[in-house]
Amino acid sequence: MTAEPRAPGPPSRRGVLRAGGAGALAAAGGALTGCAAGVGDGVGADGRVTIQMWHGQTDLAAKVIKSLVAEFERSHPDIRVDLGGGVLADAMLQKVTAALAAGSYPDIAYVFGSDLASVARSPQVVDLTAHVQRGPTPWKNYWAPARDAVTVNGRVRALPALLDCLAVVCNKKLFAEAGLDLPAAGWTWREFTDTARRLTDAGKGRFGTGWPGTGDEDTVWRLWPLVWDLGGDVIADDGKSIGFATEGVRALEVVRDLARDRSVYLDPKPGSEQMYQVFVSGRMGMVLTAPWQLPDILQAGMDYHVVPLPSFSRRPMTISGPDTWTLFDNGEARTQAARTFVTWLTQPAQDSRWDVEAGSLPLSRRSEDRPAWRAHATRTPGLAVFTEAVSSARVRPVHPAYPRVSRALGQAVVSVLLGRSSPADAVRACADESNAALLIPR
């Protein structure tokens, strides 16, 4: 991703999507159109408005959001933010779907960027287009991936909550033992697979790299930069078929080469925790990951090197999986209060604090220029590589059919990793399921 799910911490920090969940929202579509507003207007006898936020976080990120809410309430005594209820971000889609169908839903929810198009089918989702154009939201300063991830059919349907991107983290010790130079920006996927092969030592239980093997979005989002760099896209221009029928084959050939060389650790469990444990334990040379992994790498005491993703063209290309703060209409008073809060939350002063303490990248250039972020980037080796890579990042399409495309491609990637399908056969099978999903009216 992602938005979006920090490993080995909560999957929500990675911006990933549990692809099967969107089907529940589609199935509930008939109930969404006529559902009533949430219970109560939120205005107390003293005129104070109470809004409910399902923040989706756990551990450190939850502590940060609670601290930010306390700060907001001190400066906005007429608004109270209730953080009760809700679920972790991985289960948020199903929770929100059920709440919308029941007519009792929060004012704000942490929704994965990949889920936003499905959620935004509900008329209860607040349209923020006019708000970001005229209000204090630093919309024009947001990085393009942050803007793209919250825009559905030309309308702004949420505010960005988290920004990340993929790069490669290398174990310097293993490179030295293998007699290999550390990679630099502009390297290729052929160089990546060759390096992974040379880092692999079966006798020592050492792998060149790793790949999630569950077939979910964590498996899939690593492949999109290869497709985009080759000139393909997730969905073709006609909107009726996949845009990677040819490019996907070549991208999967990279996966095939890793599997053929036995240089890739295939993580069989959701969340990629085992893959990251193998890396921080010193038994993997390179890992494709996002900045939320750096604290664990630092804690492990690893001497590491961060480099941008390889490409076929030697041009920079990566993926960002932003997650969102999605607002729901519970009447004018609560909606206005919710807009006030998320606008405050995404201002550079608060955003930079969230980024530093909870593991995101700055949403905007103004956030990146804050002293807190500058100091954090200086003391965190390699973090600047991720920040710089955002400028070349793309996001997955905000499209209601994306979960089914992702599911089909996830199966294709796993079948190639396991040696059960050739890249060409895997893409053909993916196309059959994905194209059928894209023919369903939006």
Side-chain angles (χ1 to χ4, degrees):
M1 351 84 342
T2 83
E4 139 31 10
R6 170 179 351 121
S12 59
R13 304 303 302 157
R14 295 200 308 279
V16 302
L17 163 69
R18 297 295 175 254
L25 190 62
L32 300 185
T33 302
C35 66
V39 177
D41 60 9
V43 183
D46 58 357
R48 191 182 192 194
V49 180
T50 298
I51 57 174
Q52 187 176 46
M53 181 183 194
W54 293 353
H55 59 78
Q57 311 301 312
T58 187
D59 300 331
L60 177 61
K63 292 180 182 178
V64 177
I65 201 70
K66 290 175 183 177
S67 177
L68 285 165
V69 164
E71 181 180 333
F72 171 80
E73 290 181 340
R74 285 193 294 271
S75 60
H76 296 77
D78 56 337
I79 300 175
R80 176 177 176 271
V81 183
D82 178 5
L83 295 176
V87 291
L88 296 183
D90 274 357
M92 190 66 73
L93 177 63
Q94 291 86 348
K95 177 77 171 182
V96 166
T97 300
L100 287 168
S104 181
Y105 39 85
D107 300 282
I108 306 166
Y110 185 93
V111 174
F112 291 149
S114 305
D115 289 337
L116 181 61
S118 297
V119 174
R121 289 175 169 180
S122 168
Q124 272 62 51
V125 173
V126 177
D127 189 322
L128 296 170
T129 308
H131 175 71
V132 301
Q133 291 174 349
R134 66 171 183 261
T137 304
W139 180 253
K140 293 182 179 179
N141 291 104
Y142 284 152
W143 294 110
R147 296 194 304 267
D148 293 345
V150 297
T151 303
V152 184
N153 296 328
R155 309 296 295 178
V156 180
R157 306 309 305 275
L159 286 183
L162 174 145
L163 186 66
D164 60 11
C165 68
L166 285 178
V168 179
V169 181
C170 306
N171 183 322
K172 286 185 177 181
K173 179 182 177 182
L174 297 190
F175 270 77
E177 289 179 359
L180 296 172
D181 293 332
L182 291 167
W187 62 323
T188 67
W189 283 108
R190 173 61 63 87
E191 291 168 338
F192 177 86
T193 56
D194 288 347
T195 301
R197 175 175 48 80
R198 296 171 66 184
L199 285 166
T200 299
D201 188 331
K204 295 181 179 179
R206 181 184 299 168
F207 296 88
T209 190
W211 204 290
T214 54
D216 60 10
E217 183 64 15
D218 207 13
T219 300
V220 170
W221 79 313
R222 287 166 167 79
L223 200 72
W224 291 129
L226 287 76
V227 169
W228 291 329
D229 185 44
L230 290 166
D233 210 338
V234 180
I235 301 171
D237 290 340
D238 64 7
K240 299 178 181 178
S241 60
I242 61 170
F244 55 96
T246 300
E247 297 82 1
V249 174
R250 190 173 176 196
L252 282 174
E253 287 173 351
V254 172
V255 176
R256 178 204 61 196
D257 291 347
L258 293 170
R260 181 190 58 202
D261 295 341
R262 300 183 184 277
S263 61
V264 60
Y265 174 81
L266 185 60
D267 192 338
K269 294 185 178 181
S272 302
E273 291 188 20
Q274 289 188 182
M275 182 180 76
Y276 290 120
Q277 288 169 0
V278 171
F279 181 72
V280 298
S281 69
R283 295 188 294 117
M284 183 184 295
M286 305 180 291
V287 65
L288 279 69
T289 190
W292 25 251
Q293 193 60 32
L294 293 183
D296 296 300
I297 297 171
L298 283 167
Q299 186 175 10
M302 179 184 294
D303 189 12
Y304 66 90
H305 170 71
V306 181
V307 63
L309 287 186
S311 65
F312 296 102
S313 65
R314 296 191 184 274
R315 296 187 300 267
M317 175 61 70
T318 189
I319 184 170
S320 180
D323 295 332
T324 78
W325 297 121
T326 303
L327 277 60
F328 302 88
D329 187 356
N330 280 301
E332 181 56 33
R334 289 171 63 175
T335 298
Q336 180 57 41
R339 282 196 296 257
T340 298
F341 174 63
V342 295
T343 299
W344 177 89
L345 189 62
T346 53
Q347 290 297 304
Q350 288 73 245
D351 177 47
S352 60
R353 179 179 167 192
W354 169 254
D355 301 333
V356 170
E357 297 182 25
S360 180
L361 292 177
L363 293 176
S364 67
R365 293 174 179 84
R366 288 166 55 194
S367 296
E368 185 183 5
D369 287 338
R370 297 287 298 185
W373 175 262
R374 291 295 186 189
H376 176 59
T378 298
R379 64 177 178 262
T380 307
L383 185 57
V385 176
F386 288 100
T387 307
E388 293 167 6
V390 170
S391 62
S392 65
R394 292 180 57 175
V395 299
R396 297 154 292 191
V398 189
H399 191 289
Y402 180 78
R404 287 188 60 182
V405 176
S406 172
R407 181 177 62 195
L409 183 57
Q411 294 169 348
V413 175
V414 172
S415 68
V416 172
L417 283 168
L418 295 175
R420 295 172 179 170
S421 297
S422 69
D425 288 344
V427 170
R428 276 194 292 270
C430 172
D432 289 342
E433 180 176 345
S434 299
N435 291 344
L438 288 166
L439 292 177
I440 299 173
R442 296 178 67 175

